[in-house]
Amino acid sequence: MKTILVTGAAGFLGAHVCKRLLADGHRVIGLDNFSTGFRANLVPLLDHSSFSLVKHDITQPVDIVADYIINLACPASPRWYQADPIQTIKTSFLGTLNLLELAQKRGATLLHASTSEVYGSPFEHPQKEEYWGNVNPIGIRACYDEGKRAAESLCFDFHRVYGTSVKVVRIFNTYGPLMSVADGRVVSTFVAQALKGEPLTMFGSGLQTRSFCYIDDLVEGLCQVLWSSEDVVGPLNLGNPYEVTLLELAQKILALTGSESKLVFDPLPQDDPPQRCPDITKIKTLLGWSPVVSLEDGLARTIEYLKGEISHVQSPSFSADKGIFKQGII
Ligand code: NAD
């Protein structure tokens, strides 16, 4: 039994990761500042004798005894990370610095959640880990993209300078139950609009591509990286290489929900990447991981969950007028 500190525990990925680690028999300390995550996501875990919950902001130093730290704390949807861009970049950089210092002090391993956004608007396709990316350093997505890039640099500098045990994964678009309908991510937005009979909002032509990984596959991949040997440092792409255009995604969602909603087209947000698809050869070769849930199956499970959610949409705790509140998709 290991003790694992999960930051961002009340978020979409965090709640699933905590649940899985508890089911596997570990002690889990969930940490969150509840800025974009919801206590409701953790309610089923609160009575578990091996689970505890701490309210904390990782931009402040933290001292908790743990064998492993999984850093998932950071708003992930453009709508929410652009609402308070300075807090977003502080969370990525200062937050990761604080957790690396904790890992160093306590001799823990830090598994850091980076993102496919480090590839920006890629000139190489699909994206391999060796690709350095093409990111606008001053655009409206930079608080997230550059924050995550700087956080990766910190992880590797701590590893090289102090020998800190780190593992970095670059997560591609993930979807599934517990996604918030309010966060503007494309799967939950399209599903909610289809279920309500509203037009589906398509940004740009819809010919841009994304690759969607179902949450169960993602959590399995994260766990395999967590328990991998110390020399598996990464970065490792973690995502589903099955690539669809957003028009195809919309058509699948309309078919699965039986909705007759039409599409409305809005301008593409600034710096929205035209193509996104992971090359997962590295993690497949090293750990044998690859996703198993098809897009149709994953969407069907997500639709079932969101049917129960659209009547009581929760909003995050930050105020939208703190910064630019731009709709966007990842
Ligand atoms: P989410 O917004 O649902 O969850 C993030 C959680 O972190 C929330 O509970 C939020 O309250 C918490 N948080 C934010 N700032 C914090 C801070 N300063 N201190 C403490 N807690 C803080 O997002 P998610 O989809 O669960 O993503 C989790 C992680 O995975 C993020 O780091 C994100 O960058 C990464 N990621 C996710 C995706 C995806 O498709 N979901 C893709 C790439 C990377």
Side-chain angles (χ1 to χ4, degrees):
M1 183 199 228
K2 297 291 182 193
T3 299
I4 303 152
L5 170 64
V6 179
T7 73
F12 164 46
L13 265 53
H16 282 280
V17 167
C18 291
K19 184 176 166 201
R20 165 67 188 266
L21 293 171
L22 288 170
D24 289 349
H26 300 290
R27 182 167 171 260
V28 176
I29 305 166
L31 180 151
D32 209 289
N33 70 352
F34 300 98
S35 54
T36 63
F38 303 101
R39 202 181 156 81
N41 288 344
L42 296 173
V43 164
L45 312 183
L46 291 177
D47 288 338
H48 199 295
S49 57
S50 297
F51 184 69
S52 52
L53 185 58
V54 179
K55 185 172 182 191
H56 183 80
D57 191 308
I58 61 163
T59 61
Q60 302 300 320
V62 57
D63 192 8
I64 289 174
V65 179
D67 304 304
Y68 291 86
I69 304 163
I70 306 180
N71 182 23
L72 299 169
C74 188
S77 88
R79 176 181 286 183
W80 286 353
Y81 72 62
Q82 289 167 18
D84 193 347
I86 295 163
Q87 170 68 10
T88 298
I89 200 161
K90 280 170 75 178
T91 294
S92 270
F93 183 77
L94 285 180
T96 306
L97 176 63
N98 287 326
L99 296 173
L100 282 162
E101 283 174 346
L102 175 64
Q104 174 61 14
K105 177 177 169 184
R106 296 289 179 189
T109 295
L110 175 73
L111 169 55
H112 174 68
S114 187
T115 171
S116 56
E117 302 296 325
V118 299
Y119 299 120
S121 284
F123 290 125
E124 287 185 16
H125 198 75
Q127 291 82 54
K128 288 190 172 72
E129 289 85 349
E130 290 73 23
Y131 178 51
W132 290 355
N134 172 44
V135 174
N136 174 357
I138 57 166
I140 58 171
R141 298 173 77 101
C143 59
Y144 184 74
D145 301 5
E146 293 292 12
K148 290 284 188 178
R149 286 169 69 92
E152 283 199 14
S153 304
L154 267 181
C155 288
F156 285 91
D157 284 335
F158 265 72
H159 182 65
R160 279 186 290 260
V161 176
Y162 302 122
T164 313
S165 174
V166 296
K167 294 173 182 297
V168 175
V169 288
R170 292 179 179 158
I171 299 173
F172 284 64
N173 290 42
T174 304
Y175 71 101
L178 299 189
M179 281 190 99
S180 167
V181 181
D183 73 8
R185 283 189 252 198
V186 65
V187 171
S188 50
T189 302
F190 279 178
V191 170
Q193 289 172 328
L195 290 173
K196 289 193 271 185
E198 294 172 358
L200 273 55
T201 315
M202 183 69 72
F203 292 101
S205 64
L207 294 175
Q208 66 271 42
T209 69
R210 294 292 184 273
S211 309
F212 297 98
C213 185
Y214 188 65
I215 183 70
D216 291 1
D217 283 332
L218 194 277
V219 172
E220 175 60 31
L222 271 180
C223 288
Q224 289 194 21
V225 176
L226 184 71
W227 305 128
S228 62
S229 58
E230 187 136 337
D231 58 321
V232 178
V233 174
L236 291 173
N237 286 340
L238 208 46
N240 191 323
Y242 178 69
E243 187 180 2
V244 285
T245 66
L246 293 187
L247 280 175
E248 287 166 334
L249 177 74
Q251 278 150 8
K252 282 184 198 293
I253 289 174
L254 289 176
L256 286 164
T257 52
S259 169
E260 292 183 359
S261 292
K262 305 279 178 254
L263 303 185
V264 287
F265 291 84
D266 274 1
L268 206 57
Q270 188 192 335
D271 298 334
D272 198 69
Q275 266 189 322
R276 197 42 78 61
C277 179
D279 182 319
I280 58 167
T281 309
K282 205 166 163 185
I283 189 166
K284 230 177 182 173
T285 311
L286 271 173
L287 306 177
W289 176 85
S290 57
V292 295
V293 180
S294 70
L295 184 56
E296 280 73 15
D297 283 354
L299 285 175
R301 294 183 215 175
T302 308
I303 289 165
E304 273 319 294
Y305 167 78
L306 288 172
K307 272 183 189 166
E309 287 301 296
I310 52 175
S311 51
H312 54 276
V313 174
Q314 302 180 84
S315 290
S317 60
F318 62 73
S319 153
D321 41 317
K322 266 196 232 159
I324 330 157
F325 198 80
K326 282 260 191 291
Q327 172 101 353
I329 47 177
I330 58 171

